[in-house]
Amino acid sequence: MPASGSIPNGSAETRVNASLMAPIVGINFGNSYASIAVLVKDGVAECIANEDGERQIACAISFQGEEMYIGNQAKHQLVKNSQNTITGFRNLLGKKFSEVPTATLSVSAPVIQHPTLPDTPAYKVKVLQPAPSPLPTTTLNTPAASQAATPRSEPIEVERFLTISEVTTIFLGSLLKSAEDFLGHKVIGAVISVPSSFDDVQRDALSKAAEEAGICVLQLLDDAGAVAVCTSIGDDNVPCDRTQLVVDLGASSLELSLLSIREGLAYSLATLSDSSVGGDEIDSKLVRYFAKEFTKKTKTPLTVAPSTDPQDERAEAKLRLAVEHTKRTLSASPGAATCSVESLKDGLDYTGSINRLRFDMEIRSIYDKVYAKVKELVASAEIDLFDVDEIVYIGGSACLPGLDETLTEGFTESVITPFKAGTVVGGGVGDPTTILARGCALQAHLLFSLTHESAHLGSAFIRGSGLESVAATSRTIGLLVPREGAEGNMGGIWIPLVLKETPLPCRRTLTFDDVDVGAAGAKVGFEVWEVKEGIKISHVSPPKFDDDEEPVEDGEAELDEVKEKTLTKEVYLVSCTLTPQNAVNGKTKVQVQVMISRSGSIDLSLCEVSKDGFGEAVTVIIPGTS
């Protein structure tokens, strides 16, 4: 059975009043990069830059003497100061030292057991701190000039142990300062993204670290929920009812989510997490490729990923920094991208290049792994790839066109992706590098407005709240207008009213103009059915072209697989008829409204609409059928 649950988010009709400019932010806290988003104008959420001009802020902290660096400056310390540089700490939040994976790729300070806290992971770094002031040596007979000339002691190097929570607090505190510097005033609340794989202990650890950093956490929002918010508010290019696949290809793992979005409300159909697939694996393949090219050009041996020799370790750190730029170039350009490193090894510089075709060949196995996991996820939700209407990507590694080309081969041609929409870069709705932060910012303002309007509504977003867990329809409910000789197995005109996997309770209204009622006293009516949706697979011969070679013998030609969606009447619910009283020239206007409660009972009403208002409604109640 598919894993189900609700992901609360704003309605598609929600628009935030940007004139309020409340001091609320959204924070995407990833394992490799973080970003901050605020609402700037017209309800648009944008990522802001920190004091170093970075919108994508590396999750890295480095200690160099008396200085502490955070962000990309810290990441560059991995080359010469890796033992004092900390990266990849988010995923370790809430974990015991005995739970830390030993096979995790580490190019920074290693995770060790804290010397005084049992089973607690920590980092050991060396820092310079001021030496203790010497005891005063002045006496009543000592001249003031000689007192002033007393030399100050030099800073001394000490070892400092930092827990994962302390590192997280330092980093989140820097994000808070950047946001407050940009806004010009204090931040009173934030929504922070969190992967669906985080358990309650890890969520609590993140909340505690954020609060110690001075951040009032309004909500820890699942990554998939942030995507649903961002893609449902202000984007008129996608249908309001759709099945959405979220592909989060992070540095250390692959997170997949399948969502049913109905009128802006998101319902989780299934999730999947795989730590064996990630952006680090892409980087490792690129690093090995360029190291091999370097050895071929210079005849200097270079062993990387993994590397044991100190010189090779430093060369690998340089290559990992360089290939990030290479990946970004390949994401934005169909041509070749370069990788340049000064003094890669033994004082030798290196400049190499790789085109997109070669790049895709090198990491084809990763694309195939992601595709296999996507098929596994969709199968667990008991649907077909053909049922997916939209694919959304998260993370810098997901910006690769080759990944999109691989995945879309199995979906319908009409599937919506950021690459097809042209919003994969530049801060657009589908930009994988900013989508989480922008979704969190929109959610933060929604929560801020709800808290002021209704405390009851605001409580629905608290984890563990009874309002957070909802049911959903299992089949599509719609209207069937019988017609003799109608094509297909429905036997009439089918009008979907409430799609399957719609969160409950819900209400839908359809208005039909110019309904032909014929002679006076004729009735307007329809049947209400639950239908089962399926996929029909057929195999057909591929189209032939004039320049094709001689046809092969029957049975030897490969057939193309063709899929089409099917509908089958499953459960008859009720018939409903109405005698119009205000028909004009044999036509009238009719409105149908259906309300489905949390328990599944259906309240259906049919009424005539005229210039004088609504006529008397015909109402039917069907208890607990969904």
Side-chain angles (χ1 to χ4, degrees):
M1 294 297 292
S4 302
S6 66
I7 298 178
N9 66 293
S11 164
E13 298 301 320
T14 301
R15 295 295 184 271
V16 182
N17 185 355
S19 63
L20 295 176
M21 287 305 293
I24 307 292
V25 300
I27 297 176
N28 167 32
F29 179 34
N31 196 49
S32 298
Y33 285 91
S35 50
I36 316 160
V38 300
L39 262 69
V40 289
K41 60 182 179 179
D42 299 328
V44 176
E46 290 185 0
C47 285
I48 64 173
N50 64 3
E51 55 272 14
D52 296 322
E54 304 164 354
R55 297 184 187 274
Q56 295 300 303
I57 305 163
C59 294
I61 299 175
S62 184
F63 298 88
Q64 177 69 42
E66 296 179 271
E67 299 293 331
M68 180 176 70
Y69 301 98
I70 297 177
N72 289 353
Q73 287 188 12
K75 198 166 184 179
H76 286 288
Q77 292 286 323
L78 287 170
V79 176
K80 295 183 178 181
N81 190 29
S82 62
Q83 293 301 308
N84 287 321
T85 303
I86 301 171
T87 61
F89 50 88
R90 188 209 63 174
N91 286 355
L92 302 180
L93 268 172
K95 289 186 177 294
K96 298 178 181 179
F97 179 72
S98 56
E99 298 172 337
V100 175
T102 56
T104 303
L105 173 68
S106 178
V107 293
S108 63
V111 181
I112 64 169
Q113 162 67 53
H114 196 283
T116 59
L117 301 176
D119 205 12
T120 301
Y123 296 98
K124 181 179 72 173
V125 295
K126 293 181 179 180
V127 299
L128 290 180
Q129 68 178 27
S133 300
L135 294 175
T137 57
T138 57
T139 65
L140 293 177
N141 298 324
T142 304
S146 64
Q147 294 181 33
T150 301
R152 295 181 60 188
S153 300
E154 292 294 325
I156 59 175
E157 185 178 78
V158 297
E159 290 183 345
R160 184 179 176 186
F161 295 92
L162 295 170
T163 65
I164 306 298
S165 179
E166 289 172 335
V167 173
T168 303
T169 297
I170 293 172
F171 183 77
L172 291 179
S174 72
L175 297 184
L176 177 65
K177 183 180 183 301
S178 297
E180 291 179 342
D181 289 346
F182 176 85
L183 294 172
H185 47 65
K186 291 288 185 181
V187 170
I188 65 172
V191 169
I192 304 177
S193 67
V194 60
S196 59
S197 58
F198 263 34
D199 57 27
D200 290 339
V201 174
Q202 292 178 287
R203 289 171 180 267
D204 291 342
L206 176 55
S207 293
K208 183 178 179 181
E211 289 170 0
E212 290 180 352
I215 300 174
C216 176
V217 180
L218 300 176
Q219 183 185 5
L220 293 181
L221 182 61
D222 282 357
D223 289 347
V227 169
V229 175
C230 193
T231 56
S232 296
I233 295 181
D235 187 4
D236 299 326
N237 297 320
V238 295
C240 58
D241 292 335
R242 63 196 187 278
T243 300
Q244 184 183 80
L245 170 66
V246 179
V247 180
D248 182 358
L249 186 57
S252 57
S253 65
L254 171 69
E255 302 277 347
L256 299 175
S257 298
L258 193 63
L259 304 179
S260 169
I261 298 181
R262 303 289 183 257
E263 297 290 346
L265 293 177
Y267 180 80
S268 177
L269 301 178
T271 60
L272 184 149
S273 178
D274 187 350
S275 58
S276 68
V277 186
D280 285 340
E281 189 178 354
I282 296 176
D283 291 350
S284 295
K285 287 182 177 293
L286 273 180
V287 165
R288 286 192 287 267
Y289 173 81
F290 285 122
K292 185 177 179 180
E293 291 295 307
F294 171 78
T295 300
K296 187 183 297 183
K297 285 183 177 181
T298 64
K299 309 302 179 184
T300 302
L302 177 57
T303 304
V304 294
S307 54
T308 54
D309 182 78
Q311 279 191 312
D312 289 348
E313 288 180 352
R314 180 174 295 185
E316 180 177 342
K318 289 183 176 182
L319 278 174
R320 287 191 179 275
L321 291 174
V323 297
E324 288 192 15
H325 174 75
T326 305
K327 287 196 303 182
R328 293 192 188 101
T329 304
L330 287 170
S331 300
S333 170
T338 60
C339 176
S340 298
V341 181
E342 292 184 2
S343 186
L344 180 58
K345 186 178 181 181
D346 294 343
L348 298 173
D349 298 339
Y350 172 70
T351 299
S353 66
I354 185 171
N355 58 36
R356 183 178 290 178
L357 178 60
R358 182 65 187 181
F359 174 80
D360 288 341
M361 290 175 59
E362 290 291 324
I363 61 174
R364 173 60 58 187
S365 61
I366 300 176
Y367 293 160
D368 292 340
K369 285 181 182 179
V370 175
Y371 186 37
K373 290 299 177 181
V374 166
K375 290 192 291 185
E376 180 182 333
L377 172 80
V378 172
S380 70
E382 299 179 356
I383 65 173
D384 190 272
L385 293 177
F386 211 67
D387 292 318
V388 176
D389 305 302
E390 180 185 22
I391 303 175
V392 180
Y393 298 108
I394 301 176
S397 297
C399 293
L400 300 172
L403 176 64
D404 184 68
E405 293 170 2
T406 301
L407 292 187
T408 52
E409 288 179 359
F411 295 84
T412 175
E413 292 182 358
S414 61
V415 68
I416 302 170
T417 76
F419 289 88
K420 289 184 178 181
T423 59
V424 74
V425 292
V429 173
D431 187 346
T433 62
T434 65
I435 192 169
L436 291 183
R438 290 183 290 113
C440 287
L442 292 167
Q443 180 78 349
H445 279 262
L446 173 65
L447 290 176
F448 182 75
S449 62
L450 288 179
T451 302
H452 284 71
E453 294 173 5
S454 170
H456 176 71
L457 287 175
S459 66
F461 297 87
I462 299 175
R463 186 171 178 81
S465 165
L467 296 174
E468 186 190 36
S469 178
V470 300
T473 56
S474 57
R475 298 186 185 93
T476 295
I477 299 173
L479 312 178
L480 179 63
V481 182
R483 287 286 188 273
E484 292 185 7
E487 296 181 359
N489 61 348
M490 296 300 290
I493 302 174
W494 170 252
I495 306 168
L497 191 56
V498 179
L499 299 180
K500 68 175 182 178
E501 310 297 358
T502 295
L504 299 177
C506 71
R507 178 174 62 183
R508 296 291 185 271
T509 302
L510 289 179
T511 302
F512 301 94
D513 297 318
D514 298 328
V515 177
D516 191 356
V517 299
K523 293 184 178 182
V524 175
F526 49 79
E527 298 174 354
V528 182
W529 284 83
E530 285 185 351
V531 300
K532 182 179 180 180
E533 299 180 51
I535 300 294
K536 179 182 177 181
I537 301 177
S538 57
H539 295 83
V540 299
S541 299
K544 295 182 178 180
F545 300 96
D546 294 338
D547 56 350
D548 284 347
E549 298 178 358
E550 294 183 4
V552 297
E553 296 293 333
D554 291 343
E556 296 183 5
E558 293 187 3
L559 300 179
D560 290 342
E561 185 178 86
V562 178
K563 294 182 178 181
E564 60 178 322
K565 294 184 178 182
T566 62
L567 293 175
T568 305
K569 291 188 290 187
E570 190 82 3
V571 179
Y572 168 77
L573 298 179
V574 73
S575 293
C576 195
T577 59
L578 173 73
T579 303
Q581 302 296 323
N582 299 286
V584 178
N585 296 327
K587 296 184 181 295
T588 190
K589 185 176 182 180
V590 176
Q591 184 181 89
V592 180
Q593 179 175 270
V594 62
M595 291 185 290
I596 306 179
S597 68
R598 187 186 295 266
S599 64
S601 63
I602 300 175
D603 188 335
L604 182 72
S605 65
L606 171 65
C607 67
E608 186 180 17
V609 182
S610 66
K611 61 180 180 180
D612 298 324
F614 294 93
E616 183 176 354
V618 176
T619 302
V620 179
I621 298 178
I622 309 169
T625 58
S626 180

